[in-house]
Amino acid sequence: EAGVTQFPSHSVIEKGQTVTLRCDPISGHDNLYWYRRVMGKEIKFLLHFVKESKQDESGMPNNRFLAERTGGTYSTLKVQPAELEDSGVYFCASRSTGEPFYEQYFGPGTRLTVT
Amino acid sequence: AQTVTQSQPEMSVQEAETVTLSCTYDTSESDYYLFWYKQPPSRQMILVIRQEAYKQQNATENRFSVNFQKAAKSFSLKISDSQLGDAAMYFCAYRSALVTNFGNEKLTFGTGTRLTIIP
């Protein structure tokens, strides 16, 4: 079974540009989560999808971030326009509703560098 | 709001020895879950061990065990017989046991401890 995949693995963009990160959850997982780790700091929750609906978006930092999950499969996280403080590693995780609710499976992350 | 603190940015241990990673947390809730996640270099973060707050018995998974002190809000991870494959970033995390219709499944993480294994 394929794990959670994220694309790209690394992205370098200039301040003011737009970047879109993609997450493909484990097949059949209806819960999808986005987290972010700014260098040297803790990993912070961004939002939680159940299928295509946003269940909890309390961690989204501002309106420059837009997360979508059309069709309830893969998800994208767009940052527009990117700022220097957006640099960090963006993690995606997924979980099946039928599995123990504490088990979130993580992807390898996308490292975003804004220069 | 809950917070998780890992006060050891880096730790090292000789292969085959035992190491303990520290984690403290702050919460006003009585029911919650605590986790240790491991992230090897350039690889996925995986769950190492979890502890339910209502359980007094410390969780154990093979060479990994925890020392859960609920009153002290402390949750340390002990790795016995350290192996080269244990080298990774270790994150302590908290999750509320209260799940509402609006979610609350988020994990709250600490800043991580980088563990190096010395051959």
Side-chain angles (χ1 to χ4, degrees):
Chain A
E1 179 183 80
V4 176
T5 57
Q6 294 186 245
F7 182 82
S9 57
H10 193 185
S11 179
V12 181
I13 62 171
E14 293 184 353
K15 176 181 172 180
Q17 290 186 324
T18 297
V19 63
T20 300
L21 313 181
R22 172 169 170 149
C23 168
D24 285 75
I26 294 172
S27 178
H29 281 197
D30 44 7
N31 292 274
L32 187 148
Y33 312 82
W34 282 100
Y35 292 86
R36 174 175 74 168
R37 185 181 189 221
V38 172
M39 186 60 67
K41 297 196 174 182
E42 70 272 24
I43 300 171
K44 284 193 172 181
F45 168 83
L46 296 178
L47 87 160
H48 169 205
F49 282 102
V50 177
K51 297 182 181 177
E52 67 274 12
S53 299
K54 293 176 184 175
Q55 187 77 2
D56 180 359
E57 51 185 329
S58 61
M60 293 291 267
N62 52 61
N63 59 10
R64 295 185 294 103
F65 288 75
L66 175 64
E68 294 181 321
R69 193 183 182 198
T70 307
T73 54
Y74 71 91
S75 174
T76 57
L77 181 64
K78 180 189 289 187
V79 185
Q80 179 182 29
E83 298 289 345
L84 297 178
E85 63 263 26
D86 299 332
S87 295
V89 181
Y90 290 76
F91 294 99
C92 176
S94 72
R95 180 181 71 81
S96 171
T97 299
E99 290 188 11
F101 57 85
Y102 43 73
E103 182 74 76
Q104 294 182 19
Y105 296 86
F106 281 82
T110 292
R111 181 175 297 278
L112 174 64
T113 303
V114 183
T115 63
Chain B
Q2 296 81 26
T3 59
V4 175
T5 302
Q6 294 180 250
S7 58
Q8 306 155 315
E10 296 184 355
M11 291 281 285
S12 61
V13 62
Q14 205 81 29
E15 193 176 1
E17 297 296 308
T18 295
V19 64
T20 298
L21 308 184
S22 301
C23 173
T24 59
Y25 59 94
D26 190 29
T27 183
S28 59
E29 297 179 327
S30 59
D31 200 11
Y32 48 87
Y33 300 89
L34 296 166
F35 309 90
W36 278 98
Y37 280 87
K38 166 187 176 182
Q39 187 184 23
S42 301
R43 292 179 61 185
Q44 265 93 331
M45 191 155 53
I46 59 173
L47 180 64
V48 174
I49 197 166
R50 77 173 188 279
Q51 175 79 43
E52 289 92 336
Y54 65 87
K55 289 187 178 179
Q56 291 187 330
Q57 187 171 7
N58 289 325
T60 299
E61 289 287 344
N62 301 314
R63 297 182 295 106
F64 298 86
S65 62
V66 298
N67 184 3
F68 173 49
Q69 302 289 328
K70 191 172 184 180
K73 295 180 182 174
S74 171
F75 183 61
S76 61
L77 174 70
K78 184 172 82 171
I79 306 174
S80 304
D81 184 26
S82 297
Q83 300 176 0
L84 294 178
D86 295 334
M89 197 76 177
Y90 286 81
F91 292 96
C92 179
Y94 170 104
R95 214 213 82 169
S96 173
L98 174 63
V99 178
T100 69
N101 289 333
F102 299 101
N104 200 26
E105 293 187 21
K106 62 182 176 185
L107 296 170
T108 300
F109 287 89
T111 51
T113 296
R114 183 174 302 281
L115 178 64
T116 301
I117 311 296
I118 303 168

